[in-house]
Amino acid sequence: MPILDTKDVTKQFGGLVAVNQVSMTVNKNEIVGIIGPNGAGKTSFINALTGIYKPSGGQIFFQGKDITGFPAYKIAKQGIARTFQNLRVFSNISVLENVLIGAHCRIDNPFHHIFLRPLRSKKIERQAYAKVIALLKNVGLEEKKESLAKNLSYGEQRTLEICRALASDPELLILDEPCAGMNSAEMDTLADFVKKLRDEGQTIVVIEHNMCFIMAVSDRIIVMTEGAKFREGTPAEIRNDLEVQKVYLGEQEVE
Amino acid sequence: MMMGSGKRKWLLLGGLTICLLLVPMLVTDIYILSILNMMIIYSILCLGLNLILGFTGLLSLGHAAFYGIGAYTTAILMTRYNFGFGSAFFASAVLALLVGIIIAIPTRKVRGDYFCLITLAFGEIFRLVATAWIEFTRGAMGIVRIPMPKIFGIPIATETDFYYLGLGILIFTYLTIKAITDTRYGRAFIAIREDELAADTMGINTAIYKIMAFSIGCLFAGMAGSFLAVYQTVVTPSNFRLEESCLMIIMVIVGGMGRNLLAPLAGVVVMTVATEVFRSVADYRMLIIGLIMILVLLLRPQGIFGSSSFKS
Amino acid sequence: MLGEVILVGVMVGAVYALVTVGYSMVYGILKLMNFAHGDVYIFGTLVCLTLLTKYNLHPVLAILIAAIVGGGLASLVELLVYRRLRAEQHRLISMITALGAAYVIQNITELNWGNQVMFFPSIVKSKFINFWGLQISVTHIITLFVAVLCIAVLILFMRYSRYGKAIDCVSQDMDAASLMGIPINRIVSSVYFMGGLLGVIGGVLYSSSYNAVSLGMGFRGTLVAFTAAVIGGIGSLGGALLGGMILGLSENLIGVYISSSYRDPLMYSLLIIMLLVKPTGILGSSDQAKV
């Protein structure tokens, strides 16, 4: 059974159809890439998936459960974590706190425990802290855990955002244009990192503009244009599809 | 944050507490004690406001109204219904909490500047009602002759007694807010302040957390009001004007908002001392407060003692 | 009776609209709740009072000078305080700073004029004329006329002058406007100037038709502007007019038929209800956040 299954997901803004009946599936432990020219509705589609927009039509099933129209926080609890196209780290607080906030919905600490079972509450917070430290070590940000997020380099902030998303132990991780603003060396590092996550069992959806990156990491690629799904296939199939080249590469130089 | 340097911080806090406990043995001047007592009241108010403003990033211009709700509840219950201080105090806190929830629920989704206007309007409505509803609140005359409180049979009569009672409430407030903010709840509040939408996608039910932060802040304002009522033995609507709400905001900002709970308290001390020093030039009071406000925000928006700010 | 009440309501509404327009324009450009707006216009109104009573200036001249003083004060506050916060700060910070500025202006006003209610002379001889069976005060007619004239001039200015178009551009997108070579600082400054100017004219008209002025009217004026702007649709010129009218009319009807002590609670309730039910106002369009 696929982990994510969307059926004819549609999002309209007034008369504008941003996402037009997109159906797709994501299986466990695979990387699905979504590409398409600017304005193809990739981000709108992801926003509809993660509850930032309410879909105007269609259904979304996550691990067999109908989550259509759930608010964003509930979808996050179900196990979908995401990053944003234009970095949204919490800039004025420490790296550590950023990631701890990412773990929010996995810290099972009911409010009354703070007063009625303070020791248990402290223990749970400490466990979360240990987990987050391990995660930071894993991505190489442990030394910077006390610095404010805004003082990190751009690349580090990108990593932090992914790390924050991972802190919620997501079943599905959605990366929205993770390479925006990166140079090719940074991109290679990121590609390795994403593949490593997949090898550790993570399921990932990547939206990207950059052909090279998406070809390198994806197991399967979905091409979107004008809000609708246009093609789906393996990287090799997509690469050799003449119509995709026309639609997509017509706009961007072949790399 | 919560580990590591924590030990030294607790040591510091312990030392500070002992010093505060010893103060009345060294200071016998009634005037100074009365200033200390007002500082205690503002400290309780500002700790609550810091939760709303400093952590969650909600600018409430109606904090004085919740302070007033607490004060009037205690005043009315004690003068008219023969409540003891303990139960009146409890009722004041709970009522402020409930009204806080009632205000926070419909406003949970409005934008920041609209929230500010709604709380401002609520604060003014509270004051107008307290002035106009003469049968219940005795209008502008206020409620007078609020009886002397007793705690476990011990009467609280002198400035020193009130100092210890107030300090007790302050320490309780500090520890409660510290305990809440050291957990995922405090972090969720900060996440909302930093980026509400991102907080939402982290699984934080932002509406609930905003209601929570706001109403808990109001709860402590209710406690401060209750203490004010028995301390002053008089409450009048003019105790709870918009200026009071503004003064609290200034105190929190001058000290520094957010994680460091001692910073807003430092702000209370600075602003109280400043207003006392400038008492002789009372005509210029607002000018001075306004200038301090502008200068701090222009030159050091994180506050004198704060480390982080909203500055992006 | 009802006819007169409505007419007075329309007059008050037009004056409110004048006070609101300036505030709303500032909001449209900077998204800043200018808490000092009311205090600026009361300052100007009191300047006018002094010019009228102490120096016996001709009313038109006195209003002109006072309006320019008010406009100047508004842009001075912008220059000294708000400008420094414009680019980088969290919105709350500039709002609180605006509160501080309001305090300072209030205190300066109080030092000069005190905080009691003062008599404000009528600009024109008060007499009543009979108009289709309605007893109408000439003061009200002239007040209404002047307010409508100012608003009409403003609308023409905004629509047809280069400056007006530049202001529109800046409020749509400040960065893009800046790239197009529009001098942002000058535009913002002049919007504050116009806001203060119109506010003072509104304040003088209001005070002279009620023959009273006091410091407290400043804070109330700020709230009038907030409420009217929110009712009509904050940031839009038409919204300010509509909101001012609605507020003025409803206030006057309630004041006459129920009790004038419900005026302020009515205003606050209208403000709260509008913000909860339709924060974008009657004419405002919703702004969807971009993700």
Side-chain angles (χ1 to χ4, degrees):
Chain A
M1 190 183 69
I3 189 168
L4 178 77
D5 188 1
T6 77
K7 292 198 164 65
D8 298 332
V9 169
T10 301
K11 177 67 199 174
Q12 277 173 289
F13 295 102
L16 178 83
V17 185
V19 181
N20 192 4
Q21 299 193 322
V22 175
S23 301
M24 69 174 282
T25 58
V26 178
N27 296 312
K28 193 144 180 61
N29 212 357
E30 79 174 328
I31 299 178
V32 176
I34 302 180
I35 57 170
N38 265 334
K42 296 165 296 189
T43 296
S44 296
F45 176 59
I46 292 309
N47 283 343
L49 276 190
T50 50
I52 289 171
Y53 300 155
K54 233 186 173 97
S56 332
Q59 278 179 306
I60 303 163
F61 292 91
F62 183 64
Q63 299 187 302
K65 191 172 172 184
D66 187 352
I67 59 163
T68 323
F70 272 31
Y73 76 92
K74 270 195 185 159
I75 290 180
K77 267 184 204 157
Q78 295 294 319
I80 302 183
R82 66 169 289 177
T83 64
F84 294 89
Q85 185 174 164
N86 42 348
L87 272 180
R88 293 188 93 129
V89 294
F90 303 119
S91 9
N92 300 311
I93 55 178
S94 70
V95 168
L96 178 67
E97 267 200 290
N98 263 279
V99 185
L100 274 168
I101 290 169
H104 179 88
C105 53
R106 302 290 168 250
I107 303 177
D108 181 26
N109 188 8
F111 190 69
H112 58 271
H113 278 190
I114 301 173
F115 307 105
L116 302 179
R117 304 181 64 182
L119 291 180
R120 199 187 122 77
S121 158
K122 283 228 170 66
K123 194 178 134 207
I124 285 173
E125 290 290 333
R126 260 199 303 273
Q127 284 168 351
Y129 178 83
K131 193 183 101 179
V132 163
I133 290 288
L135 198 55
L136 281 171
K137 245 185 206 143
N138 198 13
V139 299
L141 280 176
E142 202 228 349
E143 272 163 33
K144 302 220 164 164
K145 67 172 192 273
E146 295 297 340
S147 26
L148 297 185
K150 65 178 170 198
N151 295 338
L152 296 187
S153 73
Y154 183 77
E156 283 170 332
Q157 292 195 27
R158 285 256 168 226
T159 315
L160 171 62
E161 211 186 6
I162 297 175
C163 186
R164 184 180 70 179
L166 285 173
S168 67
D169 299 328
E171 296 294 328
L172 173 65
L173 174 67
I174 301 176
L175 305 175
D176 191 353
E177 297 208 14
C179 330
M182 282 188 174
N183 61 32
S184 64
E186 286 172 321
M187 241 184 266
D188 289 343
T189 320
L190 183 68
D192 290 341
F193 180 62
V194 170
K195 278 192 270 189
K196 191 180 113 198
L197 284 176
R198 192 257 327 267
D199 296 340
E200 288 165 4
Q202 186 70 54
T203 313
I204 301 169
V205 170
V206 188
I207 302 179
E208 227 344 298
H209 227 48
N210 185 292
M211 268 289 194
C212 261
F213 181 81
I214 212 97
M215 290 294 168
V217 299
S218 308
D219 299 313
R220 194 150 53 83
I221 292 176
I222 290 166
V223 186
M224 280 179 79
T225 60
E226 287 161 14
K229 188 160 101 176
F230 179 70
R231 277 287 185 283
E232 181 171 348
T234 62
E237 286 166 4
I238 297 295
R239 200 195 312 265
N240 298 323
D241 191 311
L242 285 173
E243 284 195 64
V244 170
Q245 284 179 10
K246 230 185 266 162
V247 165
Y248 190 72
L249 306 178
E251 186 199 71
Q252 207 184 347
E253 278 297 305
V254 190
E255 291 180 64
Chain B
M1 41 159 297
M2 50 187 159
M3 341 260 141
S5 64
K7 249 194 197 117
R8 240 181 61 205
K9 198 153 182 212
W10 282 113
L11 221 64
L12 180 84
L13 276 174
L16 191 66
T17 314
I18 291 169
C19 289
L20 286 173
L21 285 171
L22 292 176
V23 161
M25 318 209 163
L26 307 171
V27 181
T28 44
D29 190 305
I30 298 284
Y31 167 69
I32 293 182
L33 274 174
S34 72
I35 291 174
L36 286 175
N37 282 336
M38 282 320 287
M39 280 188 193
I40 286 175
I41 293 177
Y42 280 115
S43 298
I44 299 167
L45 287 164
C46 288
L47 279 174
L49 186 63
N50 183 39
L51 197 63
I52 302 171
L53 174 65
F55 275 84
T56 321
L58 300 169
L59 180 57
S60 169
L61 278 174
H63 210 56
F66 295 94
Y67 179 37
I69 287 171
Y72 269 100
T73 308
T74 296
I76 289 169
L77 288 179
M78 285 180 76
T79 52
R80 232 168 273 164
Y81 301 97
N82 293 321
F83 270 55
F85 175 64
S87 42
F89 179 77
F90 184 74
S92 302
V94 170
L95 192 68
L97 174 82
L98 290 179
V99 178
I101 293 174
I102 291 169
I103 299 290
I105 286 175
T107 55
R108 68 195 183 277
K109 285 197 174 133
V110 302
R111 250 175 37 196
D113 37 3
Y114 296 162
F115 178 85
C116 161
L117 281 184
I118 290 174
T119 50
L120 184 152
F122 170 73
E124 286 300 290
I125 288 176
F126 170 80
R127 199 177 50 82
L128 290 170
V129 168
T131 315
W133 194 3
I134 293 173
E135 308 89 80
F136 196 57
T137 63
R138 296 187 12 110
M141 314 269 297
I143 297 175
V144 292
R145 283 199 290 279
I146 298 163
M148 185 193 296
K150 278 188 183 144
I151 307 283
F152 304 120
I154 307 161
I156 308 290
T158 64
E159 287 285 348
T160 313
D161 296 345
F162 277 109
Y163 177 82
Y164 282 119
L165 175 62
L167 193 61
I169 301 172
L170 175 59
I171 291 173
F172 172 76
T173 306
Y174 181 90
L175 292 177
T176 311
I177 290 182
K178 181 87 184 133
I180 294 172
T181 51
D182 270 353
T183 64
R184 68 178 186 136
Y185 295 91
R187 291 192 298 270
F189 298 151
I190 290 180
I192 292 172
R193 177 191 84 195
E194 288 289 308
D195 186 336
E196 195 168 336
L197 190 122
D200 230 333
T201 61
M202 304 286 114
I204 294 166
N205 185 347
T206 48
I208 292 282
Y209 280 86
K210 279 203 253 177
I211 296 170
M212 205 187 247
F214 185 73
S215 54
I216 293 173
C218 293
L219 170 102
F220 291 110
M223 288 186 183
S226 176
F227 179 74
L228 176 85
V230 289
Y231 174 63
Q232 277 193 342
T233 70
V234 181
V235 291
T236 62
S238 64
N239 284 123
F240 314 109
R241 280 178 307 188
L242 177 71
E243 272 171 71
E244 285 292 303
S245 299
C246 293
L247 183 62
M248 295 171 207
I249 290 170
I250 300 160
M251 286 170 163
V252 171
I253 287 177
V254 166
M257 26 191 183
R259 266 267 178 251
N260 183 359
L261 298 185
L262 290 178
L265 301 190
V268 171
V269 175
V270 169
M271 288 308 292
T272 317
V273 170
T275 36
E276 284 304 317
V277 168
F278 291 117
R279 187 170 284 278
S280 54
V281 281
D283 289 350
Y284 297 90
R285 186 168 171 266
M286 301 227 300
L287 186 78
I288 291 160
I289 290 181
L291 283 178
I292 294 179
M293 220 161 150
I294 294 172
L295 288 177
V296 166
L297 285 169
L298 285 181
L299 304 176
R300 217 181 136 74
Q302 71 271 40
I304 300 174
F305 306 95
S307 51
S308 73
S309 76
F310 293 162
K311 197 171 174 178
S312 51
Chain C
M1 176 73 178
L2 183 67
E4 280 95 345
V5 174
I6 289 180
L7 190 86
V8 174
V10 169
M11 184 271 296
V12 173
V15 173
Y16 280 3
L18 262 188
V19 174
T20 307
V21 159
Y23 159 71
S24 202
M25 275 164 65
V26 167
Y27 186 88
I29 290 193
L30 295 176
K31 309 285 177 275
L32 167 72
M33 300 249 164
N34 186 6
F35 279 100
H37 184 67
D39 297 302
V40 166
Y41 94 63
I42 271 310
F43 183 88
T45 307
L46 288 166
V47 167
C48 182
L49 176 69
T50 305
L51 292 175
L52 283 172
T53 54
K54 239 194 195 146
Y55 301 100
N56 288 318
L57 247 59
H58 188 273
V60 175
L61 195 62
I63 292 179
L64 265 178
I65 294 175
I68 290 169
V69 169
L73 179 63
S75 32
L76 186 71
V77 173
E78 195 275 330
L79 179 74
L80 291 181
V81 183
Y82 301 153
R83 184 167 296 179
R84 290 154 201 271
L85 294 166
R86 201 188 296 152
E88 35 172 8
Q89 291 294 350
H90 196 283
R91 232 194 223 174
L92 293 183
I93 298 286
S94 32
M95 276 167 69
I96 302 168
T97 319
L99 260 173
Y103 269 19
V104 171
I105 299 171
Q106 240 175 66
N107 205 150
I108 291 173
T109 313
E110 189 177 350
L111 287 173
N112 281 319
W113 287 281
N115 60 3
Q116 69 279 29
V117 180
M118 280 166 282
F119 176 79
F120 198 102
S122 300
I123 299 172
V124 282
K125 272 244 169 61
S126 168
K127 65 174 180 204
F128 285 83
I129 51 167
N130 203 307
F131 186 73
W132 287 346
L134 299 180
Q135 285 288 47
I136 300 167
S137 149
V138 178
T139 317
H140 289 166
I141 297 284
I142 291 188
T143 303
L144 181 61
F145 176 74
V146 175
V148 169
L149 186 75
C150 288
I151 290 165
V153 169
L154 180 70
I155 289 176
L156 290 176
F157 176 77
M158 287 297 285
R159 185 150 308 161
Y160 296 109
S161 76
R162 273 182 67 210
Y163 234 80
K165 282 177 189 152
I167 292 173
D168 198 34
C169 288
V170 176
S171 67
Q172 304 250 340
D173 189 334
M174 198 184 273
D175 294 335
S178 167
L179 290 174
M180 293 296 146
I182 296 175
I184 302 287
N185 282 342
R186 227 171 69 206
I187 294 288
V188 170
S189 205
S190 61
V191 167
Y192 270 91
F193 186 84
M194 276 156 56
L197 185 111
L198 294 172
V200 172
I201 296 177
V204 171
L205 292 175
Y206 189 89
S207 307
S208 80
S209 61
Y210 283 100
N211 292 125
V213 61
S214 74
L215 183 66
M217 279 164 59
F219 176 63
R220 189 167 189 282
T222 305
L223 282 167
V224 163
F226 282 173
T227 311
V230 166
I231 291 174
I234 201 161
S236 89
L237 204 67
L241 304 184
L242 183 68
M245 270 311 163
I246 292 175
L247 187 63
L249 261 175
S250 55
E251 240 185 55
N252 223 51
L253 287 171
I254 285 207
V256 171
Y257 289 106
I258 303 173
S259 155
S260 63
S261 63
Y262 285 101
R263 260 184 8 172
D264 284 5
L266 166 85
M267 183 170 74
Y268 294 120
S269 313
L270 272 178
L271 180 60
I272 293 182
I273 291 168
M274 274 315 283
L275 286 172
L276 292 180
V277 178
K278 198 168 185 312
T280 50
I282 296 173
L283 296 182
S285 54
S286 69
D287 44 356
Q288 177 109 32
K290 182 123 177 81
V291 181

